[in-house]
Amino acid sequence: MTILVNGEEGNRIDARDRGLQFGDGVFETLRLHGGVPQLWSRHWERLCLGLDRLGIPRVPERACLDDLSRVAAAPLSLAKLIVTRGVGPRGYAVPARVHPTRIVIGGDALSGEHDRPWLHIGVCGTRTGHNPLPGCKHLNRIENILARMEWGPDWDEGVMLDRNDHVVSGTQGNLLLLEGRTLVAPTVQEFGIAGTRRAWVMERAARAGLQVHEARVGLRRARDADAVFLSNSRIGLRPARWVGDHATLADPADGSESMALMLEIGHELNEMA
Amino acid sequence: MTILVNGEEGNRIDARDRGLQFGDGVFETLRLHGGVPQLWSRHWERLCLGLDRLGIPRVPERACLDDLSRVAAAPLSLAKLIVTRGVGPRGYAVPARVHPTRIVIGGDALSGEHDRPWLHIGVCGTRTGHNPLPGCKHLNRIENILARMEWGPDWDEGVMLDRNDHVVSGTQGNLLLLEGRTLVAPTVQEFGIAGTRRAWVMERAARAGLQVHEARVGLRRARDADAVFLSNSRIGLRPARWVGDHATLADPADGSESMALMLEIGHELNEMA
């Protein structure tokens, strides 16, 4: 596994880095095709949104792309890009001069193949609080860790709710619901993270003729949806079923026309350079 | 400045440390008197509460105390103790075998003297969300940073509210309010951090004859209190006034009997080994 810190190979960062001290930074998990990140412009836009909101100077886009091409370990692999506010003295106050730390970590090779047609999702008790940087993907992730710790042995993902029992997302990706010919995306305006695949799929599904909208969705409604999909940069777009739910289709490919369309979109996403 | 990572001198940690990746850890800021942390048992208890809640193995208490004695740079100084879940592979899932990272960072010498009688407090717009580990002091501190960025030029502290306009705390310490002979501590059951000095002062004030209780306190009520105090390990207990408020006493020592008692308690806290 290759790790680059500000473009230099090595896995060491300063213990006084504000990324460690406070989670003062943002990150992206990227799917690399031949060293090139898929949906880069969306990742870059979100990264910059977070940096701007935190008042951290933007790092050079070219340097990020160069780093990512260097850590790719396989034709298809994951990588993580982290940008922190860098080293600072004690205390929350932002230093007068900030030198951001750019960390790129190469990750697992991806096979692109699935061992089963459905992912299995349960429901976590850990609630998501308001995202202090709405829409952004920052380094404060204790809620996700607590929720991840709740997964049952046969879970592939856990759904996280807000304190009003509305569905927010999975612990490591977004949820999308199919209701007839409508694709419903639980809103992530105040909670959770606005996923890059989530946005891409919503746009793609709208172009393909589905009704697409965001909504506050209660757990009951999510369970009653005709189909549930999960999305993130690792899995792309995959159909899911609730743990213990044996009432739905044996195979997603036996579903409705809308279901077939969503599976097609997932396939397109996986193949897309 | 001395930094110890797992007892070894050096400022380098692994970029894959979950403290950096996710803020997956807890910390304490300690006031050292001759290398010995003040109110250690309270700090240790809170640290362990956080570790237990996160499922991170406890580090040896003796090692923490040894480290702290080694970083003390002056007879009176600050130090920070951080414990993370250590290095892990990609993803939120907790590794099967955890080797916590223990980081101790020596800090500023403290003079113990004050250049003015009051600290000045403003009100921040950044709201505190629910603490995912109630009562604990974890490494997810973006809210504090955003609030700290709001300070005006003449502020010594900024008050943070929850989304219902209740006072939670300062950005870097707790608030205590004096109403007649009653000391009111804004509740930190769901939001904010339960400060070690806050708890000590509440107990001490009760023994000294004040009525002491926790309450949900609106901003209006806080502004109308006879006096406001701030507490944390750096400042101990200090009287404060609202920025722009010229109506209150010229000097806290001219206040009521309860005010005098609180100033005495603050003095006692500062002197305490």
Side-chain angles (χ1 to χ4, degrees), chain B residues 167-169 175-177 184-188 198 213-217:
Chain B
V167 170
V168 174
S169 66
L175 251 75
L176 293 162
L177 308 169
V184 179
T187 180
V188 287
R198 173 181 180 276
H213 64 88
E214 295 199 4
R216 280 191 195 279
V217 175

Side-chain angles (χ1 to χ4, degrees), chain A residues 118-175:
Chain A
W118 306 93
L119 297 177
H120 292 170
I121 44 174
V123 179
C124 297
T126 300
R127 300 306 170 102
T128 57
H130 285 81
N131 184 345
L133 300 174
C136 302
K137 189 159 177 163
H138 54 71
L139 295 172
N140 282 196
R141 302 259 63 98
I142 283 180
E143 284 172 358
N144 301 65
I145 292 167
L146 293 173
R148 179 63 183 77
M149 288 167 74
E150 293 185 56
W151 284 21
D154 49 350
W155 294 19
D156 300 302
E157 178 57 292
V159 169
M160 295 180 72
L161 310 176
D162 68 19
R163 281 181 175 73
N164 295 315
D165 287 346
H166 291 119
V167 169
V168 175
S169 65
T171 62
Q172 51 196 32
N174 292 110
L175 249 75

